[in-house]
Amino acid sequence: MSLYPRNFQLHVPTSLREAIEALEALGEDAKPLAGGQSLIPMMKLRIAAPSALVYLGPLKGELSYVRDGGDYVEIGALTTHSEVAESPLLRRWNPLVSEAAAHIGDTQVRNMGTIGGSLAHADPSADYPAAMAALGAEIVVAGKSGTRTVPAGEFFVDAYTTSLRPGELVAAVRVPKLRGRYGAAYGKVARIATDFAIVGVAVHVSVDERGHVDNMGIGLTGVGPTPHRPRDVEEVALGERLGPELAERIAAAVSRSVDPPTDLRATSEYRRRALRALTERALRRIYLDIARAQ
Amino acid sequence: MVAIRVRVNGAHYEHDVEPRLLLAHYLRDYIGLRSVRIGCDTTNCGACTVLLDGKAVKSCTVFAFMADNAEVVTLEGISEGGLHPLQRALAEEHGLQCGYCTSGMVMTLYYYLNKARRVPSEDEVRRAIEGNLCRCTGYVGVVRAALKAAREMYG
């Protein structure tokens, strides 16, 4: 009386090149397996039944790292959510990614699940995509003919669908260093603490010496098949004084900018209201953080 | 079949297993460690929590082959010399009734306290066990027991 996946062929490559070759040779019915925290439950429920798995675990030495890239921080695809959440480099340069990572699932899931796996899975209610959208992150994709970088906005194509081509793997993610007087926050509402987001909001803001917004990025999850970045709302904020009044105005605009779905988790109207509350809360927190840091 | 070598609670094992064999079943059926419970079987309840290379994971959501060349610790492995302070505190503070979730609860708290190396706040304990569900006793006794054990270990 237990849940078992369909049997599959197992391939265990020892390098990224070998993994790509194996995926190429096996075709679209084969799946890469990283931490397995989405794929294994789906296989147990037989929502997924791949004929072969290419296990990426042995590539940890190659693909698990958080590295300073100058203007950006690069996160290897096999870095776990726990490692992202606790990385001193990310906490210093891009706490938005760490905070989003800390909101994923629970301790045990964060200890196994990887950033590359989560992004490639492209769950429309996942936490990372909102942060990636808000930050304009870049996904480094490796394939037979080398690597290419894909902006987050082009990486997510549809629910559970990315612009990865057959035989390609996520190799790393690059997130910009946030500079100046900035703050960042991720907030979500979920059915229970450990669940996927009903909606989630990732925001980062930087202000000039007078406290006026000179850069803002907003990313939303749970509002459609892919993460949403309401650029028109970000533009409204530019040059405006960051404070409770702006927080309220931006929150209302964010909630107006989306037409979220109604599903088992929540109605469209609920999602809009939750987004408004989360956005206002995030911006107020950022405002206080920046004020306190002075 | 795939050949795996795993160190479990300090002892070495070698087995040929089906790729789809889950770590929880491997530990229960191949090694005979019955502290590893299968509750929800869907990555929610945490009853199957064990340490994989020192990290708490849900063994119903890990294939046995993923533990190849790794070290696994189950509840049996932390209580060989008698009850662990966490187990004692859970018994004393009414941290369990049916006990089904307890081994997973202990393993998660063991992982958390070993990492924290200090007496945490009540809120921190509650967050630490967010991936472990109890459906009969509730969490008040569990949290009290965790804090008691932490004081004994690091107070």
Side-chain angles (χ1 to χ4, degrees), chain B residues 44-47 90 94-102 104-105 129-143:
Chain B
N44 286 293
C45 80
L90 281 162
H94 197 88
L96 66 149
Q97 288 180 97
C98 87
Y100 200 84
C101 72
T102 307
M105 206 66 94
I129 56 169
E130 67 185 355
N132 290 78
L133 303 182
C134 169
R135 283 294 173 264
C136 72
T137 312
Y139 302 94
V140 173
V142 175
V143 173

Side-chain angles (χ1 to χ4, degrees), chain A residues 2-5 7-8 10 33-37 40-41 44 46 53 55 83 86 105-112 194, chain B residues 2 18-22 25 41-43 49 52 55-58 60-63 65-66 108 111 115 128 130-132:
Chain A
S2 57
L3 296 170
Y4 252 81
N7 239 323
F8 52 87
L10 177 64
L33 171 69
Q37 300 303 288
I40 297 174
K44 289 173 72 175
R46 308 242 174 168
L53 289 185
Y55 179 47
E83 288 160 351
E86 289 162 16
D106 52 49
T107 302
Q108 294 97 314
V109 167
R110 289 192 294 272
N111 277 343
M112 282 302 287
T194 57
Chain B
V2 51
E18 264 193 312
R20 66 173 173 172
L21 181 70
L22 295 161
H25 294 285
D41 221 347
T42 53
T43 335
T49 301
L52 178 62
K55 298 199 170 136
V57 302
K58 293 182 170 174
C60 82
T61 311
V62 176
F63 287 121
F65 71 77
M66 293 163 83
T108 302
Y111 165 76
K115 208 171 141 197
E130 67 185 355
N132 290 78

